[in-house]
Amino acid sequence: MNYYIKYLGAFIYLTFVISLILTTITNPGVVTKKYYLENYKADKTIIKNFRICRKCNIVMDLDKGTEHCVECGICIMNNDHHCPWTSKCVGKKNIKMFYIFVGSLAAHIVYLVFALVSLAVFSENLNKK
C-alpha cells in the first residue's frame, strides 16, 4: 500500500511540474496585425465591437475578450490575467494547462499535508512502543 501512495505523490508532482512548464512555454493567444489580416480578411468578418490598442496599434476584438497586458506589453485574446508564478499571461491558448497546474498544485499541497500528518502519527506511535 505504501508504494501506491508514493507513486500517487510522484504522479501529482510530475503533473504539477509538467503543467507549469507547458503553461509557461505555450503561447497565450498573442494578437498581432498579421493575425487579424489573415483571419478577418479571409473570412470577410466584420468586427462590430472593437477598439484600437494605443500601445500595439492593432484592432482588439472586445467580443473575444482581447485585452492589452501592461506587464507583457502585448494584446492577448481572451486574456484572463497576468500570472506572477509563470511570469506570463493566461489567455485563450494556455488556460487549460493553467487550470491543470492550479489543480495539481492544490492536490500536491493536500498530499503533502496528509504525508506530514501521517508521518507525525507514525513517529508518535513508534515512540510509545
Side-chain angles (χ1 to χ4, degrees):
M1 186 68 172
N2 286 338
Y3 292 111
Y4 294 121
I5 293 172
K6 290 179 185 177
Y7 290 137
L8 176 65
F11 174 75
I12 292 170
Y13 179 73
L14 285 175
T15 304
F16 164 69
V17 170
I18 290 170
S19 63
L20 173 63
I21 291 170
L22 289 175
T23 301
T24 305
I25 64 174
T26 304
N27 176 7
V30 177
V31 179
T32 60
K33 290 180 184 180
K34 183 179 177 184
Y35 171 82
Y36 276 109
L37 289 175
E38 288 175 355
N39 291 324
Y40 289 102
K41 284 195 175 183
D43 296 339
K44 295 185 175 54
T45 305
I46 298 171
I47 305 172
K48 295 178 182 176
N49 191 9
F50 72 94
R51 80 174 169 210
I52 306 294
C53 179
R54 293 180 183 166
K55 307 266 173 144
C56 302
N57 291 325
I58 63 162
V59 177
M60 296 187 343
D61 189 352
L62 299 177
D63 292 332
K64 292 190 177 183
T66 305
E67 293 179 11
H68 184 83
C69 177
V70 177
E71 287 89 1
C72 295
I74 53 177
C75 289
I76 305 293
M77 194 179 328
N78 288 353
N79 190 9
D80 190 53
H81 69 283
H82 183 86
C83 179
W85 295 344
T86 61
S87 188
K88 193 171 192 174
C89 285
V90 177
K92 180 180 181 178
K93 295 183 181 178
N94 67 348
I95 197 159
K96 290 178 185 175
M97 273 292 117
F98 181 75
Y99 287 150
I100 293 170
F101 163 65
V102 171
S104 61
L105 175 63
H108 190 64
I109 290 170
V110 168
Y111 176 81
L112 288 177
V113 168
F114 173 75
L116 290 174
V117 169
S118 64
L119 184 63
V121 169
F122 179 71
S123 64
E124 187 176 306
N125 289 340
L126 284 178
N127 290 338
K128 287 182 180 180
K129 291 182 182 180

